[in-house]
Amino acid sequence: MTQDNRPTVLVVDDERVNRAVLAELLADECRVILAKDGPSALQRTQEERVSLVLLDASMPGMDGYEVLRRLKADDRTAKIEVIFVTGQTDEQDEERGLLLGAVDYIAKPIRPALVRARVRNHLKLARQREELELLSLRDGLTGIANRRHFDMEFNRVCRHAVRSGDSLSLAMIDVDYFKQYNDRYGHGAGDMALARIAQALVATVQRPYDTAARYGGEEFVLLLPGVDEPAATLEQVRADVAALGIAHAGSDTAAVLTISCGGVVARAELAREPARLLRWADEALYQAKREGRNRTIVLKP
Ligand SMILES: [Mg+2]
């Protein structure tokens, strides 16, 4: 069986004939799934990666407005685009749907060419938005996750740690004597060095739920969910960067570019305060700097 990689559109309508008409109409454009009422529509959006919902405004029980409100109120589904489909052509209904966050409005009786064109347009926009969003989470210079991506992941991982009781480890990393490196070898060489270090971090931290990000300038950050003994991993990262062998005649620590690494292990209760956790990691990093750089310090507050 071949997998259908096309975007998924959820058609929600209490009348079977309407569902069938829309499904048939869109079969060439996308993968269509169906729901006959509000609760099962919400259920489907939790189970599947839905790009677009065609939502009947008028349904018994939970109507389309309530479904839309709940979709937008849930982080996991808030970004799914919704087109209202309704027999009420009243301008107020249209406005209400758009105010709640619908992207478009289709009036019944359905005009097939129009529906197909609108769905096609919105799927294209959704795809572009997803691509932009991916780009906006990546650091332009190094290609790894950026600060924004890290902030999102960090908050998510902390919330998860609080819920699950799991530990998590966080590390701040700073390139030693980087200003001197730039002064001596030029900013182009400095940028290349940062990119190589970033790749070394990503290569070492390989579990899919770990995050290695550029935090800013020559600072990086590692997020290791579920890890309560990060010292060996961080020490490996430090050794891997030194092993890149990027000559640095201006370093007081070594003949090559090195990093200092400050780690902190958070038990669940500390995960309630992400900002404090970051300050602990910073403190560990400064300690590593004070003690001579090119080393790893792990704190367990
Ligand atoms: Mg209806």
Side-chain angles (χ1 to χ4, degrees):
M1 200 175 80
T2 53
Q3 204 185 338
D4 191 345
N5 285 324
R6 298 177 304 165
T8 298
V9 173
L10 170 63
V11 171
V12 189
D13 200 302
D14 59 307
E15 287 172 60
R16 203 170 69 84
V17 58
N18 289 340
R19 294 196 298 275
V21 166
L22 284 167
E24 161 132 32
L25 195 58
L26 299 173
D28 291 337
E29 306 292 328
C30 49
R31 176 177 166 256
V32 181
I33 58 175
L34 305 171
K36 64 176 171 30
D37 55 31
S40 50
L42 293 170
Q43 175 84 21
R44 294 313 295 271
T45 60
Q46 297 288 351
E47 295 163 355
E48 308 245 5
R49 192 160 176 275
V50 174
S51 295
L52 182 67
V53 181
L54 294 189
L55 181 57
D56 183 16
S58 165
M59 295 184 287
M62 191 190 295
D63 69 7
Y65 298 101
E66 180 60 15
V67 174
L68 179 56
R69 199 189 60 73
R70 292 195 190 195
L71 284 174
K72 294 299 167 187
D74 187 330
D75 281 349
R76 292 166 297 183
T77 54
K79 284 184 182 151
I80 300 174
E81 301 210 325
V82 175
I83 299 180
F84 254 79
V85 184
T86 179
Q88 308 156 311
T89 46
D90 188 347
E91 259 179 40
Q92 270 186 340
D93 284 323
E94 178 170 349
E95 195 178 313
R96 193 175 155 209
L98 296 177
L99 281 175
L100 279 168
V103 289
D104 209 344
Y105 205 81
I106 294 172
K108 288 176 189 168
I110 285 157
R111 289 155 61 196
L114 186 95
V115 172
R116 222 181 270 133
R118 289 206 176 159
V119 165
R120 200 179 291 152
N121 282 344
H122 284 294
L123 286 176
K124 195 169 150 197
L125 286 172
R127 191 164 56 240
Q128 284 170 350
R129 216 198 39 217
E130 280 164 23
E131 281 166 10
L132 271 179
E133 184 150 308
L134 266 179
L135 275 178
S136 76
L137 296 176
R138 212 166 292 155
D139 174 53
L141 174 67
T142 62
I144 68 172
N146 63 14
R147 169 81 171 262
R148 181 163 169 261
H149 189 179
F150 166 75
D151 286 341
M152 285 167 53
E153 275 301 294
F154 186 40
N155 282 310
R156 196 182 61 73
V157 165
C158 283
R159 281 200 303 270
H160 177 79
V162 170
R163 252 199 332 270
S164 67
D166 290 348
S167 300
L168 72 97
S169 292
L170 171 74
M172 294 292 290
I173 291 170
D174 188 78
V175 182
D176 298 324
Y177 298 109
F178 189 66
K179 186 185 176 306
Q180 287 83 342
Y181 186 86
N182 272 334
D183 290 347
R184 183 177 282 257
Y185 299 98
H187 285 274
D191 285 353
M192 268 167 55
L194 289 179
R196 290 185 66 195
I197 290 170
Q199 290 315 312
L201 299 188
V202 169
T204 312
V205 187
Q206 275 181 337
R207 301 182 312 164
Y209 32 90
D210 292 338
T211 302
R214 185 171 179 213
Y215 198 65
E218 68 270 29
E219 270 198 316
F220 296 91
V221 61
L222 295 181
L223 183 59
L224 310 170
V227 172
D228 54 10
E229 293 292 344
T233 301
L234 299 181
E235 190 48 27
Q236 186 64 50
V237 167
R238 190 202 57 75
D240 286 346
V241 169
L244 291 173
I246 304 171
H248 188 358
S251 169
D252 286 346
T253 296
V256 293
L257 258 185
T258 55
I259 56 172
S260 295
C261 190
V264 59
V265 180
R267 290 151 288 112
E269 72 252 37
L270 193 53
R272 283 183 201 284
E273 297 176 86
R276 255 185 83 207
L277 209 49
L278 272 170
R279 286 201 296 277
W280 275 107
D282 243 350
E283 173 55 35
L285 175 60
Y286 278 104
Q287 202 171 317
K289 292 280 185 189
R290 271 200 311 273
E291 292 181 14
R293 298 180 167 84
N294 188 25
R295 69 193 59 221
T296 302
I297 298 286
V298 175
L299 299 177
K300 293 187 174 182

